[in-house]
Each structure stands twice: as C-alpha cells, then as structure tokens.
C-alpha cells in the first residue's frame, strides 16, 4: 500500500518544490498539496490541491480523513523578518499548526510528521563557527523562539507518545522557482533575480554578514532522506543541524560578477541585520552525515551557475 502524503504550506518556497519532488517519487495522486489560499497557481493546477488552515485542527483532520493521509509535511510558518513585525501572529501560527499536526499523530490519524526547524533556534550567545548540535540556544527572534520551543515539543511527543516526527534545522534556502517571503536570508535569492533583471542589487545585510546557506535541491534531498531513514537510525528527535555552505553578500556578488561582469551591489542594512548578526556563521552537521548519510552537492559556485542559468530562461522574452 502506498502511503499518502499531505503538504501543508505547499504554495511556499520549500513546500512547492517538495510537492513537485514527492509527486515525482510517489505519483501525483498520492501527494496532496494544501495551503490557506490559492497563492501559487502552478501548484494549485499541478495536481490535487485543498484549502487547509494549518491553525484549525478540524480543517487538517477533514483533509486527512478525506484523502486517507498517512504522512504530513508541515511547511506553513511565519519567518523571521515578518515575525518581528507580527510577534503574536508568528507565535500563534507557528505553534498552533505544530500542535495540530502532532496531536493528529498522537491520536494515530497519521503516522509520520516532518516539521522544519531553522538556524534561527540559535542566538547571540551561541558559538558562531561550526555551531554544534548541542549548544547554547537563546534565540532573540519570535521565529527562533517558536522553532526552539517547537523542537522541544517534537522530542516530547516522540518520547512520551511515540510520535514519529522528524526535523531539520534548515539554513537559508536559495531557489529559483518560488520566491521566499519574510525571511532574513531572502537577500540571497533576491540578489540573483535583480542581477538578471536590473544588473544591480541593494543588499539589506552588510557586505561581511556570513550565514549558513543551502541550494534548494540539497534541501529537498535532505528532507526526503531523513523521512526515508529507518526510525532506529535517528538519534536526534528534536531537530538535526544541516549545512552545505556559508557566504556573505560580498562573496555571492563576486560569484555573480563571474557571469554578469557589470553587476553592481550596494549595501543598506535594515532591521534584518540585527537578526542575521544573532545567527551562526557556519554549522557542524556531523549527526546528519553520520545518522542518515547526509551529503550536500551544491557549493556557492555550482549554485550560482544553476541560478543564473534558470533565471535567464525564466526572464527571457518569449520568442514568437
Ligand atoms: N530562512 C529563514 C529566515 O530567514 C531562517 O530559517 O527567516
């Protein structure tokens, strides 16, 4: 029997690509995409799509029953920058959606859960270089607080109720299909779009702000790998550190200039600088590499080649 999958937040940056990939693997009919509204028409029109409100237990439950769902990927969340503008909304959305899904698993309506955490669980007191799995965690953003608390609850539900929940602390994710929204690492996506369309970009982070990042293809591979891993190989039931590369706005601009020689970057840090400054520069992900054979494929150079190639196609004037 093939297991049926529900993706909540399928219109978003990661949710959309996860939907495409999981459909490739499990077949269109076994992967149900859902979101709070029809914000991504490509996803809405690409297979079965349901309107689901992640904050409403029965909204998810009805969808689970209707489609006989076995596994949920909960990709709906308010990210770091937007969360600072709407702290209570971020808290409510990020926590209630997680409890709804964990409680569905506790009640045995579903048997497996993926929930993303983030480098935002770390804070200014965390060691910044090669940040280890178990370290000081005093996040200063509402988003980071929800991720840290969420991790504790995931582990709790695993320990006390046997809920099979699996999680990764994503670094900033760079991709070309769906724009990210409301994150501090979003500059690393916007910069490529602006390089192609305008030949210049004003960064909201300073030139030497180094952050852990990852290309989307690697993020999707990792997500599928951890979900496919035998349960007894997973030694971490809070959330796994995950890494691929680290770079600054200056590094990425230099890499873009290898393709677009006249590309100009300027710097005008805003409130997101403080958020970025509170996060690690690089991550030690040896548990993921050891427990479920994680291995990244993309570095800054390879990612830039792919981003420029794909975005040039995307913005090319249609030929008549
Ligand atoms: N990419 C996220 C953000 O910037 C971090 O997980 O908020």
């Amino acid at each position: 029997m093939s297991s049926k999958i529900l993706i909540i937040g399928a219109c978003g940056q990661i949710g959309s690509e996860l939907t495409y990939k999981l459909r490739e693997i499990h077949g269109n009919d076994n992967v149900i995409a859902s979101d709070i509204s029809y914000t991504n028409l490509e996803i809405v029109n690409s297979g079965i799509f349901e309107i689901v409100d992640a904050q409403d237990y029965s909204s998810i439950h009805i969808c689970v029953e209707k489609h006989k769902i076995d596994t949920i990927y909960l990709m709906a969340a308010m990210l770091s920058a937007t969360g600072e503008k709407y702290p209570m909304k971020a808290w409510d959305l990020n926590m209630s959606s997680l409890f709804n899904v964990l409680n569905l698993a506790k009640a045995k309506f579903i048997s497996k859960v993926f929930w993303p955490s983030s480098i935002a669980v770390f804070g200014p007191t965390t060691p910044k270089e090669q940040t280890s799995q178990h370290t000081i965690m005093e996040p200063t953003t509402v988003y980071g607080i929800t991720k840290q608390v969420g991790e504790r609850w995931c582990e709790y539900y695993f320990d006390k109720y046997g809920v099979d929940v699996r999680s990764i602390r994503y670094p900033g994710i760079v991709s070309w299909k769906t724009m990210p929204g409301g994150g501090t690492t979003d500059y690393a996506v916007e910069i490529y779009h602006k390089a192609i369309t305008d030949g210049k970009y004003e960064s909201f982070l300073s030139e030497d702000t180094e952050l852990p990042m990852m290309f989307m293809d690697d993020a999707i591979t990792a997500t599928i790998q951890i979900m496919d891993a035998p349960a007894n190989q997973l030694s971490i039931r809070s959330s796994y550190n995950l890494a691929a590369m680290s770079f600054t706005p200056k590094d990425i601009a230099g890499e873009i200039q290898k393709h677009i020689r006249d590309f100009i970057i300027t710097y005008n840090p805003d409130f997101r600088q403080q958020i970025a400054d509170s996060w690690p520069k690089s991550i030690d992900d040896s548990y993921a590499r050891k427990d479920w054979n994680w291995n990244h494929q993309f570095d800054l150079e390879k990612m830039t080649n792919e981003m420029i190639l794909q975005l040039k196609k995307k913005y090319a004037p249609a030929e008549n």
Side-chain angles (χ1 to χ4, degrees):
M1 195 191 76
S2 64
S3 75
K4 286 222 182 179
I5 295 170
L6 173 64
I7 296 152
I8 300 176
C11 288
Q13 187 200 11
I14 306 178
S16 57
E17 303 227 15
L18 201 52
T19 304
Y20 297 131
K21 191 51 160 194
L22 288 170
R23 283 190 177 146
E24 236 176 80
I25 298 170
H26 300 278
N28 253 22
D29 294 346
N30 292 317
V31 180
I32 316 308
S34 76
D35 213 305
I36 183 101
S37 57
Y38 300 105
T39 49
N40 182 336
L41 282 183
E42 232 179 288
I43 280 288
V44 172
N45 294 326
S46 68
I48 307 170
F49 182 88
E50 297 279 2
I51 292 288
V52 166
D53 178 358
Q55 290 186 258
D56 177 0
Y57 182 89
S58 31
S59 169
I60 310 173
H61 189 195
I62 288 166
C63 187
V64 162
E65 294 289 280
K66 178 175 169 191
H67 294 283
K68 306 208 173 352
I69 300 295
D70 171 72
T71 300
I72 292 185
Y73 290 74
L74 174 56
M75 309 309 287
M78 193 183 285
L79 297 191
S80 59
T82 312
E84 292 311 288
K85 293 188 177 147
Y86 309 102
M88 286 320 293
K89 274 194 185 158
W91 173 259
D92 288 343
L93 168 61
N94 295 359
M95 295 317 301
S96 66
S97 57
L98 175 60
F99 277 119
N100 286 340
V101 173
L102 288 177
N103 284 329
L104 278 164
K106 183 186 168 199
K108 306 222 179 307
F109 292 115
I110 54 173
S111 66
K112 222 182 204 182
V113 175
F114 178 81
W115 174 78
S117 185
S118 155
I119 52 165
V121 288
F122 302 115
T125 51
T126 308
K128 289 206 178 300
E129 307 278 355
Q130 287 300 309
T131 300
S132 54
Q133 177 71 38
H134 304 289
T135 182
I136 302 166
M137 291 160 85
E138 296 182 319
T140 46
T141 62
V142 175
Y143 174 70
I145 294 169
T146 65
K147 291 299 179 190
Q148 188 192 30
V149 176
E151 285 190 8
R152 297 288 86 226
W153 278 110
C154 286
E155 194 181 280
Y156 188 90
Y157 269 64
F158 172 75
D159 281 344
K160 307 283 170 184
Y161 311 125
V163 167
D164 189 359
V165 53
R166 302 166 180 217
S167 178
I168 283 169
R169 291 174 181 152
Y170 288 129
I173 306 294
V174 179
S175 66
W176 54 269
K177 275 190 197 142
T178 308
M179 287 303 271
T184 301
T185 55
D186 294 9
Y187 92 85
V189 177
E190 290 169 8
I191 193 170
Y192 287 109
H193 286 260
K194 291 286 182 192
I196 305 284
T197 58
D198 300 0
K200 57 179 197 249
Y201 179 65
E202 184 173 273
S203 170
F204 57 76
L205 298 183
S206 66
E207 59 183 324
D208 292 324
T209 309
E210 186 177 356
L211 287 170
M213 298 275 185
M214 181 175 286
F215 188 51
M216 179 63 87
D217 294 27
D218 276 340
I220 298 295
T221 302
T223 308
I224 290 169
Q225 260 178 14
I226 193 178
M227 288 300 272
D228 284 348
N232 61 7
Q233 278 180 24
L234 302 177
S235 63
I236 307 279
R237 287 297 184 151
S238 52
S239 188
Y240 277 91
N241 274 9
L242 192 74
M245 62 183 111
S246 288
F247 55 75
T248 65
K250 196 169 150 189
D251 295 333
I252 198 172
E255 209 53 50
I256 290 173
Q257 278 156 355
K258 291 185 187 165
H259 299 258
I260 303 167
R261 223 179 313 141
D262 302 333
F263 174 66
I264 294 168
I265 183 161
T266 51
Y267 302 93
N268 188 12
D270 66 14
F271 73 102
R272 289 168 281 193
Q273 182 67 46
Q274 204 187 348
I275 302 177
D277 287 341
S278 77
W279 291 347
K281 292 181 194 294
S282 58
I283 299 286
D284 172 357
D285 62 353
S286 40
Y287 279 87
R289 289 178 193 262
K290 182 167 98 358
D291 286 2
W292 40 276
N293 297 322
W294 160 242
N295 217 335
H296 69 279
Q297 300 296 322
F298 284 82
D299 59 12
L300 178 57
E301 187 183 354
K302 195 169 165 198
M303 175 175 85
T304 302
N305 291 343
E306 187 65 11
M307 287 296 286
I308 303 259
L309 179 79
Q310 296 299 341
L311 288 177
K312 273 193 174 155
K313 278 192 224 159
K314 191 169 176 147
Y315 287 114
E319 287 177 29
N320 304 312

